[in-house]
Amino acid sequence: MGDEDFLLDGQPHRILSGALHYFRVHPDQWADRIRKARLMGLNTIETYVAWNAHAPERGVFDTSGGLDLGRFLDLIAAEGMHAIVRPGPYICAEWTNGGLPAWLFQDPSVGVRSFEPQYLAAIEEYLQALAPILVPRQIDRGGPIVLVQIENEYGAYGDDARYLERLVELNRAIGLTVPFSTVDQPTAEMLEAGSIPGLHKTASFGSRSLERLATLRTHQPDGPLMCSEFWDGWFDHWGAHHHTTDVAQAAGELDDLLATGASVNLYMFHGGTNFGFTNGANDKGVFQPLVTSYDYDAPLDEAGNPTEKYWAMRDVIARYAPVPDERPSAGSPAPRFEVELDRAAALFDVVESLGTFTAHDHPPTMDELGQYDGFILYRAEIDCVGPAVLEVDEVRDRAQVFFEGDGIGVLARTHHVHSLSLPRDARGTVDLLVEDQGRVNYGSRIGEPKGLIGAVRLCGEPLGRWRAAGLDVGRLEVVRRALGPVAPISGPSYRAGTFSLDESRDLFLDTSGWGKGVVWVNGFSLGRYWSAGPQRSLYVPAPVLRAGENEIIVLELNGVPHRPVVFTEGLELGHTEF
């Protein structure tokens, strides 16, 4: 680094970067999204590394398919661009558990995001697994990586300098030689607590660029200024409004920033999708799980199409750097059609094949059963004379309660509901189907277990003798064998149908007529839907589809009248400005 600039081959270099998370984009679409970043005038792609996605259990490090980080970095290089890698280990990213593997928290003595030996030993294993991917792809070895970030906004969480020092040692030990940086929100407290000497401080913000760069300069007196998270949009929670940012305002703030000579990373350039059960959650007194879409109101929308913000920011960048003459084409509306879901199966008819029930004296957490996302089913036999009230100390995050197979009600963390009435003189089977709606990704509640927490009481007395099973609701081979003709079903059920296409192309599934659940297309989990909004449709990436026959399977939790599913022209997120 120079006195005021990044240096590339000894010459001043401005980083014009865009955030693009490989784990939120279908791998067959990586090259398209990277190329569109270059066509907007960017010269760098930034990505987090999601430790928990690669390591669903300790000793495993998956780099196949959509987790092939090496391939992603090679595609960046092939486009003539550089890369910034942020391996965390904590990443936030509105990603489940902030990227930290849930198995880390099985031992309560493990202290995360601190100088704690067990945690640091796990990080060392993680970085050693990353070494063959990252080390040979550094700029000084002919690769694209120009910068690696240590931790992530650590000043908002702690001030353990020994922890940051050890992270630097571990990253250097695997062979990383490029400059290291940190990022924090531009307050004196966070910038000082979140970094140590030898790490280059950068800031995260989306407005008041000049003021915030000035604050950063007081804490990073030399070297290049950089906003390594320029917030050009925002994320959405279920049950809240859709966030957008004014295009002219966002472009104006970017113009102010670039006029100072600072470098930038647009967060996000292209957000992508929280496929499967990967969305995170926030909890600052109110639990707020994130929606499936991570569109983020970014310059490139969830389907990879340039938006008005794309063109406005491209014009700004063109004032300060060369922009290619080539322009990406605008997206075209997807076809609208209906699909009859003509086969069905009740969830309770297949639960014995989706998980293994075990006996317990108290309701175990999901984590104690070794399951870290999705659903868990609790079952107990009850015999209560008189009025019956079921109470749970805490539910994480949503429990549908059934008595003798009939739905009784919902215990919801989002609404602080912990009790409900059962039928008088209740004698029979009570089931609680609990959904992990996303693990907290920010703050002190990272790592908390899921499921039923604490005691469950019936008629004021503790309820024991439980059977519990973690359910792999995506075990579709089991579901397919159970499917039969559509008939009235009480409670959660799978619905399935097929449709034909002339060619593979992006589609958008309208979920506005449904309640709550999960959708798979050709075995690929599109993620969750919920009538709580604001998201009203799910993105179906073209590579998931094929010319000819395609399959759709819906797990509907609430139960809705029999009706076809509708594919529509585009993504429906709402239009509320933020």
Side-chain angles (χ1 to χ4, degrees), residues 153 183-191 202-209 211-217 219 227 231:
E153 291 191 327
V183 63
D184 282 286
Q185 296 173 48
T187 70
E189 297 78 13
M190 292 186 189
L191 286 168
T202 71
S204 55
F205 55 84
S207 60
R208 293 156 46 198
S209 295
E211 172 191 336
R212 283 160 170 170
L213 286 174
T215 301
L216 174 62
R217 179 54 85 197
H219 297 272
C227 176
W231 302 327

Side-chain angles (χ1 to χ4, degrees), residues 314-336:
R314 187 177 189 267
D315 289 343
V316 170
I317 292 169
R319 298 171 196 155
Y320 302 95
V323 171
D325 292 334
E326 183 182 353
R327 297 163 65 91
S329 59
S332 58
R336 182 181 179 88

Side-chain angles (χ1 to χ4, degrees), residues 463-527:
L463 182 59
R465 300 188 306 277
W466 289 90
R467 297 177 68 223
L471 302 183
D472 182 359
V473 296
R475 193 176 293 174
L476 299 184
E477 69 278 7
V478 169
V479 175
R480 293 185 185 103
R481 289 196 296 267
L483 291 169
V486 170
I489 297 175
S490 175
S493 65
Y494 290 93
R495 314 287 179 92
T498 58
F499 59 96
S500 294
L501 296 174
D502 293 334
E503 62 178 355
S504 169
R505 59 158 302 154
D506 286 347
L507 297 177
F508 302 90
L509 179 63
D510 181 0
T511 62
S512 59
W514 292 77
K516 192 178 196 307
V518 187
V519 180
W520 296 264
V521 170
N522 293 334
F524 181 89
S525 178
L526 302 182

Side-chain angles (χ1 to χ4, degrees), residues 285-538:
V286 176
F287 179 70
Q288 296 180 300
L290 273 84
V291 303
T292 297
S293 173
Y294 200 65
D295 177 83
Y296 212 86
D297 193 36
L300 207 66
D301 73 12
E302 186 176 0
N305 299 314
T307 66
E308 184 182 352
K309 191 176 291 180
Y310 180 100
W311 301 115
M313 289 188 164
R314 187 177 189 267
D315 289 343
V316 170
I317 292 169
R319 298 171 196 155
Y320 302 95
V323 171
D325 292 334
E326 183 182 353
R327 297 163 65 91
S329 59
S332 58
R336 182 181 179 88
F337 60 95
E338 295 184 354
V339 177
E340 187 71 25
L341 299 182
D342 54 7
R343 292 167 294 150
L347 174 65
F348 283 117
D349 288 345
V350 295
V351 291
E352 299 282 352
S353 299
L354 299 180
T356 301
F357 280 92
T358 52
H360 304 268
D361 293 331
H362 68 279
T365 66
M366 182 179 286
D367 300 60
E368 287 172 335
L369 293 183
Q371 180 151 332
Y372 303 120
D373 61 26
F375 295 83
I376 181 172
L377 182 64
Y378 297 89
R379 177 167 289 172
E381 299 301 319
I382 63 173
D383 188 352
C384 183
V385 177
V389 176
L390 185 73
E391 302 174 82
V392 177
D393 281 350
E394 186 176 359
V395 58
R396 297 180 188 157
D397 301 306
R398 184 178 187 267
Q400 292 176 259
V401 183
F402 302 87
F403 177 67
E404 287 293 289
D406 294 328
I408 300 298
V410 174
L411 303 175
R413 179 179 182 178
T414 51
H415 293 83
H416 302 284
V417 178
H418 301 284
S419 64
L420 54 76
S421 296
L422 297 177
R424 184 181 179 89
D425 299 328
R427 176 180 294 175
T429 302
V430 64
D431 290 307
L432 287 86
L433 178 64
V434 179
E435 179 186 3
D436 163 15
Q437 292 185 282
R439 290 180 180 256
V440 171
N441 54 256
Y442 184 86
S444 60
R445 303 196 70 148
I446 292 171
E448 63 183 12
K450 294 288 189 169
L452 298 182
I453 310 299
V456 178
R457 289 172 295 279
L458 181 66
C459 304
E461 297 296 324
L463 182 59
R465 300 188 306 277
W466 289 90
R467 297 177 68 223
L471 302 183
D472 182 359
V473 296
R475 193 176 293 174
L476 299 184
E477 69 278 7
V478 169
V479 175
R480 293 185 185 103
R481 289 196 296 267
L483 291 169
V486 170
I489 297 175
S490 175
S493 65
Y494 290 93
R495 314 287 179 92
T498 58
F499 59 96
S500 294
L501 296 174
D502 293 334
E503 62 178 355
S504 169
R505 59 158 302 154
D506 286 347
L507 297 177
F508 302 90
L509 179 63
D510 181 0
T511 62
S512 59
W514 292 77
K516 192 178 196 307
V518 187
V519 180
W520 296 264
V521 170
N522 293 334
F524 181 89
S525 178
L526 302 182
R528 313 174 204 252
Y529 64 88
W530 194 3
S531 59
Q535 184 171 348
R536 302 295 185 189
S537 58
L538 292 172

